[in-house]
Amino acid sequence: MRLLPLPLLAALLLLCFDPPADAQPRGKPKPHLIVFKDGFTVHGIVKQDRTSFTDPVSGAPISIPVQDSHFTVDDGVRNISFSPNQVQELIPDDPTRKDRPIWLTNLRAASGSPIPGTWKIAQISEFDHRWQREVILTMANGSHYKLEQRLVLLTPRYLCVDTRGTVWTSFYLTRELGPDVCRSLVYKHADFKKTPEKDYDKRLLVYRFFLQAGWTAEAEKELLKLLDAYPAQRAKLKVIQENLNALLAVQFVKDMELAYKAGQHQEVQERLARYAKEKMASQVPESTQLRVQSLKIQYAAADKKLKAVQRFLKILPVNVEPLRRDFYRKAIAAIGGELNHDTLSRLETFLSQAQDWERALKQKRPPTQTPEELLAFALSGWLLGDGAAEKNADTARRLWEARQLVLDCQRSDDPVERKQRVDTFKEAKGVSVDVIARMIPLLPSAEPYEKLGTDPIKLGAHGTSYVLQLPPEYHPGRLYPVLLLLHHSGEKAEDELTRWGELAAKHGFILAAPVWGKGVEPEYQYSEREHAVVLNCLRDLRRRFQIDSDRVFLFGCEEGGKMAFDVGLSHPDQFAGVLPMSASPRFFSYRYSTNAQYLPFYVVNGDFTGAMAKDNRTLFKDWIRWSYPALHVEYKGRTGGFFEAEIEPMMDWMTRKKRAHPQKQLGRKAEEFKTMRDSDTSFYWLSAGEVFPRCQNSAAAWNQATPPATMQAQVFRESQINVWAHGVGNVTVWLGQGSINYSEKLKVQLNGRLLPPRTITPSLQDLLDVFCRTGDRQRLFWARIDLKP
């Protein structure tokens, strides 16, 4: 089937989901729900640059998107831009929707002159009883400029603030103010009188406002106040309360399912008990009841299996020959320390065979397996996954010794010592590279941290310090996503944990905030030392905790945002997504723009930030041109700073992302991977040594004319690799499972020059060297090819 050009595809996509022109109301465009391919959604008015022409057959006018144009969704507060290539479908709003939002309006301020000169916000007061606040700006010359702002529009979703005598209108999401401020504003707007009827109606308005804003807990408090204050309205309020309880019950179940996804099994079982005790089943739809029942059955079955597995692991070693009994007891003790709901599936075959063994004994017939063969099922299944479980006791013992080898190698920083261990093991044990590669993702941490809890922890390694927060119920048998937080200048690393802590705990994320700057208000210097702070933090996390390296994200605000841009684009293969906020992509970040071809970005800024906003838009145009997985969120009339309301959608965005693993192609012509520093030379399965002086640059003495070094590679039919590398020294191609056909000779072409075919043999030494150096258990390499351009 022939693929349609992207602009035409986007046009057809809009035509498929938009009603005919004569069916649409005239005037304001119709909002849509935009569903991304990964399930992420945004909502608002869809905009796209378009061009028109006349159909030569019918003579009807036809409008299609302009080549390389992007979608921009206006949700009233933000303009959210992205490539049409990310969109799955556009869903028109339901015109029959009954629950219309509450609008609280005020008089708009008169327009005026622009703000003079270069400035930044020094202070903002709270809104007073007149819905006004004071803003003090610091000008470029150090003087202060005072402005008066007035809240002119407040809805449960967003609000608008005008500035008296100045052309400056700002939009905010209501949740940025928080429920306490909004309660005060709504009460003041309602202007309660002593007349009971009017007071009741307006208090009910406050309840509806909070409910539509998504603050269900606050809405429930308001409703309880109404029940106490107006017993005469109790019958009506009870109906409202029943509807609210039904909504809360549905949300309760959703939170239960989220806890299940986050591996918080104790939380789930406590919620299941509360669900039954409070008889919530009568308050939720049948589909929700069935999901809860499925969870209940699943946990009951898992608890039963856990008890059975633990019992068999206790009694079987007793029946093993005494000389090998001690080995199995030690191995089983290690398994027992990691056994839980998340790891139980590795022992399904063992449990089935052990139950058959026990059944045979009860029926007084010979079992088909010996106790040692059953334990072999347990050890091999535990180390390689249930699908690889087998009863050969010798194989199981060799596998367990291989596990110990890998852990010992990972604990050693001496490559010579590691080589000696590997050489000895290869001669004596003969476990293949593919078996070790299958084992590594299931291994425990090499140096597990013992003092587990949810309180912030201060840790450090290799000259790097960071503050860590683990999610509830963290345990070493599960891989966890990680969010690395780069604090702004003038703030502490702990401040970022406070902002993200609650939501990260709910979604099961590990938070780590590296201390990256020097001094009270450090500025990002674009240095190798600063990069090492982030990379060393990540390596230390992999060494101490169970980290899912395919779900590592990098967030930074302002100076930390500059750092997030630079570190992410310099090391794109380390992250599943990068989220810079209120930051400019300067120096290396802009020159490295094509390094984002597989790396999703979620960029947030205000459009009232001058050069910063312009820099972000310029970079984003490049990304859109190549359909990179980027999202640009720009708040209307806003300056920089921390956008509190973005935390929740950012977390939703991250939960749907995984690190890319491009196997066949890295870059294309005009989209090569770029580097201008010796520390930025590794891209997925292609790396290089030094960067030639003619291609090196520095932020302190930036030379715009300096060309970056470039790298690009492609695999053809698993038997040939073409590599292009310019401006760098030695180049290494890293090969993993499925990269090439190891049974055939490999052809390599370097910068158009065909090299002699070579035989590639998987190497245990190469596998363990890379793994021990990085701790990355999701990206393993079996062999390497060293080339010199």
Side-chain angles (χ1 to χ4, degrees):
M1 178 178 175
R2 187 177 178 184
L3 296 177
L4 295 173
L6 186 59
L8 183 55
L9 180 63
L12 291 176
L13 188 63
L14 283 173
L15 290 173
C16 288
F17 295 106
D18 275 347
D22 57 359
Q24 292 198 37
R26 297 183 181 276
K28 189 176 180 180
K30 188 174 183 179
H32 283 74
L33 177 70
I34 297 88
V35 182
F36 286 59
K37 292 176 181 177
D38 62 2
F40 183 73
T41 61
V42 295
H43 179 269
I45 305 296
V46 179
K47 302 176 182 178
Q48 190 175 24
D49 293 336
R50 309 177 73 86
T51 184
S52 299
F53 62 91
T54 302
D55 188 325
V57 178
S58 65
I62 296 177
S63 173
I64 65 169
V66 174
Q67 178 75 30
D68 297 330
S69 65
H70 58 273
F71 279 179
T72 295
V73 174
D74 183 348
D75 70 353
V77 177
R78 306 165 295 179
N79 284 312
I80 306 168
S81 302
F82 46 88
S83 165
N85 191 51
Q86 299 186 63
V87 176
Q88 179 70 33
E89 62 178 330
L90 282 77
I91 304 174
D93 261 6
D94 182 3
T96 63
R97 190 177 58 179
K98 296 180 181 179
D99 189 21
R100 295 300 179 189
I102 303 165
W103 291 68
L104 306 179
T105 58
N106 202 341
L107 295 175
R108 297 186 66 85
S111 59
S113 58
I115 300 174
T118 303
W119 52 272
K120 65 179 180 179
I121 293 178
Q123 185 178 343
I124 300 180
S125 68
E126 298 292 335
F127 287 105
D128 61 19
H129 66 284
R130 298 171 299 171
W131 293 30
Q132 294 179 359
R133 69 180 184 184
E134 188 177 83
V135 179
I136 298 177
L137 307 179
T138 300
M139 313 309 289
N141 59 7
S143 64
H144 295 292
Y145 192 77
K146 189 181 294 185
L147 296 170
E148 184 181 274
Q149 291 188 330
R150 191 178 191 190
L151 182 66
V152 296
L153 176 67
L154 177 63
T155 79
R157 200 182 66 80
Y158 70 94
L159 57 108
C160 176
V161 176
D162 265 356
T163 307
R164 288 188 180 276
T166 304
V167 181
W168 183 12
T169 302
S170 305
F171 292 84
Y172 298 76
L173 290 169
T174 303
R175 59 179 178 266
E176 292 184 73
L177 295 186
D180 291 337
V181 173
C182 284
R183 178 187 286 109
S184 174
L185 290 172
V186 175
Y187 267 86
K188 288 172 183 175
H189 168 83
D191 191 22
F192 293 152
K193 303 296 182 182
K194 293 183 179 179
T195 307
E197 291 77 8
K198 290 184 178 179
D199 188 56
Y200 167 79
D201 291 339
K202 291 178 179 179
R203 283 177 181 254
L204 193 59
L205 177 72
V206 173
Y207 160 78
R208 287 183 56 212
F209 185 93
F210 284 129
L211 190 63
Q212 291 184 2
W215 291 319
T216 51
E218 300 298 326
E220 187 177 26
K221 290 177 185 177
E222 294 297 328
L223 188 57
L224 291 175
K225 290 178 184 177
L226 279 167
L227 282 164
D228 289 339
Y230 299 98
Q233 303 288 346
R234 195 169 186 81
K236 293 181 180 179
L237 292 174
K238 276 295 181 183
V239 174
I240 295 174
Q241 188 177 40
E242 288 174 4
N243 292 333
L244 177 61
N245 288 340
L247 178 64
L248 292 172
V250 171
Q251 185 59 53
F252 181 86
V253 173
K254 288 182 178 179
D255 289 342
M256 183 196 305
E257 292 172 324
L258 183 57
Y260 172 76
K261 291 179 182 178
Q264 296 166 11
H265 303 299
Q266 182 180 342
E267 169 78 9
V268 176
Q269 297 196 62
E270 289 174 358
R271 282 180 174 269
L272 284 171
R274 183 181 163 191
Y275 176 88
K277 182 179 179 181
E278 298 182 12
K279 300 179 180 179
M280 294 187 194
S282 61
Q283 300 173 324
V284 299
E286 184 179 355
S287 59
T288 304
Q289 295 176 34
L290 292 174
R291 297 202 310 273
V292 173
Q293 185 63 22
S294 176
L295 270 180
K296 185 177 179 181
I297 293 170
Q298 184 175 334
Y299 274 98
D303 288 341
K304 185 178 179 181
K305 287 181 179 181
L306 270 175
K307 291 177 181 178
V309 165
Q310 290 165 343
R311 181 171 62 84
F312 284 124
L313 290 177
K314 184 177 181 180
I315 64 176
L316 284 171
V318 179
N319 297 282
V320 173
E321 184 180 331
L323 290 176
R324 292 194 289 273
R325 195 174 297 162
D326 188 55
F327 164 78
Y328 284 109
R329 281 177 173 164
K330 289 180 179 178
I332 287 168
I335 291 174
E338 302 167 27
L339 181 62
N340 51 52
H341 285 84
D342 293 310
T343 56
L344 179 61
S345 61
R346 298 192 222 169
L347 299 178
E348 290 283 355
T349 299
F350 161 72
L351 177 59
S352 174
Q353 296 296 327
Q355 288 171 334
D356 286 346
W357 173 81
E358 185 175 57
R359 196 177 301 114
L361 292 179
K362 289 180 179 179
Q363 295 172 357
K364 296 183 179 180
R365 57 181 174 82
T368 55
Q369 276 95 28
T370 66
E372 189 170 8
E373 288 175 331
L374 292 174
L375 290 171
F377 275 118
L379 267 61
S380 57
W382 187 258
L383 294 173
L384 302 179
D386 189 62
E390 61 171 287
K391 68 178 183 179
N392 189 303
D394 290 337
T395 299
R397 286 196 296 272
R398 286 199 302 271
L399 288 173
W400 198 263
E401 290 167 2
R403 162 190 159 116
Q404 193 58 48
L405 165 77
V406 177
L407 291 175
D408 288 344
C409 285
Q410 198 178 2
R411 295 182 186 115
S412 173
D413 292 324
D414 185 354
V416 175
E417 179 186 347
R418 289 202 301 262
K419 185 177 186 309
Q420 291 173 347
R421 288 179 183 274
V422 172
D423 289 343
T424 303
F425 180 83
K426 284 194 297 185
E427 292 175 6
K429 308 303 175 186
V431 178
S432 64
V433 172
D434 62 318
V435 171
I436 299 292
R438 185 168 182 172
M439 179 189 300
I440 286 175
L442 301 178
L443 288 176
S445 303
E447 298 176 357
Y449 189 79
E450 300 295 338
K451 298 178 182 179
L452 302 179
T454 56
D455 292 334
I457 307 165
K458 290 186 177 180
L459 295 173
H462 306 292
T464 297
S465 63
Y466 61 95
V467 185
L468 175 84
Q469 182 173 312
L470 296 172
E473 300 185 46
Y474 169 87
H475 63 78
R478 177 186 180 89
L479 294 178
Y480 288 84
V482 176
L483 176 57
L484 298 174
L485 303 168
L486 303 177
H487 60 88
H488 174 45
S489 176
E491 293 186 332
K492 297 180 180 179
E494 291 86 347
D495 296 332
E496 292 299 330
L497 295 188
T498 301
R499 287 183 174 126
W500 285 89
E502 182 178 350
L503 201 58
K506 191 174 181 180
H507 286 266
F509 270 67
I510 293 174
L511 293 181
V515 181
W516 62 266
K518 292 182 178 180
V520 179
E521 294 190 4
E523 292 185 2
Y524 179 56
Q525 302 298 314
Y526 298 86
S527 68
E528 183 176 348
R529 179 194 64 80
E530 290 165 315
H531 284 220
V533 168
V534 176
L535 299 179
N536 288 340
C537 172
L538 180 54
R539 292 182 188 120
D540 195 56
L541 287 171
R542 289 168 174 164
R543 203 174 179 115
R544 298 176 191 251
F545 303 98
Q546 291 293 81
I547 301 304
D548 186 348
S549 293
D550 279 344
R551 293 188 292 162
V552 176
F553 299 87
L554 183 63
F555 169 85
C557 182
E558 298 188 346
E559 289 298 315
K562 293 179 184 177
M563 189 173 178
F565 262 127
D566 187 34
V567 173
L569 289 166
S570 299
H571 311 280
D573 53 351
Q574 296 297 313
F575 306 105
V578 180
L579 305 96
M581 180 179 285
S582 299
S584 290
R586 301 186 62 206
F587 301 119
F588 302 95
S589 302
Y590 186 73
R591 297 302 295 274
Y592 289 4
S593 62
T594 56
N595 293 358
Q597 55 194 269
Y598 305 116
L599 178 62
F601 268 78
Y602 189 129
V603 181
V604 181
N605 193 27
D607 68 1
F608 224 56
T609 53
M612 184 188 299
K614 182 180 179 181
D615 289 345
N616 277 287
R617 291 175 196 144
T618 301
L619 179 64
F620 190 76
K621 286 179 181 178
D622 289 339
W623 285 346
I624 284 297
R625 185 157 47 99
W626 298 110
S627 296
Y628 289 179
L631 187 73
H632 184 205
V633 178
E634 195 172 60
Y635 278 72
K636 299 178 183 180
R638 297 285 294 277
T639 59
F642 191 85
F643 293 89
E644 187 78 27
E646 287 303 309
I647 290 182
E648 192 167 343
M650 279 181 163
M651 182 60 71
D652 179 40
W653 182 84
M654 286 187 285
T655 59
R656 304 171 187 278
K657 294 284 184 287
K658 281 196 173 186
R659 178 175 54 169
H661 287 268
Q663 285 194 313
K664 301 303 179 184
Q665 184 164 334
L666 291 178
R668 294 178 289 271
K669 188 175 182 181
E671 287 185 273
E672 300 91 349
F673 284 89
K674 298 180 176 66
T675 177
M676 305 178 85
R677 292 174 292 204
D678 288 340
S679 57
D680 309 341
T681 56
S682 181
F683 304 105
Y684 302 95
W685 45 270
L686 193 64
S687 65
E690 77 281 2
V691 177
F692 292 163
R694 70 172 185 270
C695 297
Q696 291 195 14
N697 219 332
S698 71
W702 185 258
N703 185 347
Q704 188 65 30
T706 299
T710 61
M711 291 190 288
Q712 175 190 349
Q714 190 172 17
V715 178
F716 288 95
R717 297 183 296 277
E718 298 184 342
S719 60
Q720 180 174 330
I721 296 180
N722 292 349
V723 178
W724 295 266
H726 301 283
V728 293
N730 296 334
V731 175
T732 300
V733 178
W734 299 92
L735 304 172
Q737 182 181 18
S739 299
I740 61 169
N741 185 345
Y742 290 93
S743 64
E744 297 182 9
K745 284 195 172 185
L746 179 68
K747 298 176 183 177
V748 178
Q749 189 180 88
L750 178 60
N751 293 337
R753 177 168 54 95
L754 188 62
L755 305 179
R758 63 188 73 193
T759 300
I760 305 298
T761 303
S763 164
L764 182 58
Q765 190 70 58
D766 287 339
L767 172 71
L768 291 181
D769 276 348
V770 177
F771 172 61
C772 294
R773 189 173 68 250
T774 66
D776 189 342
R777 63 181 71 211
Q778 276 73 47
R779 192 182 65 193
L780 302 172
F781 296 115
W782 296 18
R784 60 185 291 172
I785 305 171
D786 293 316
L787 307 170
K788 190 171 183 62

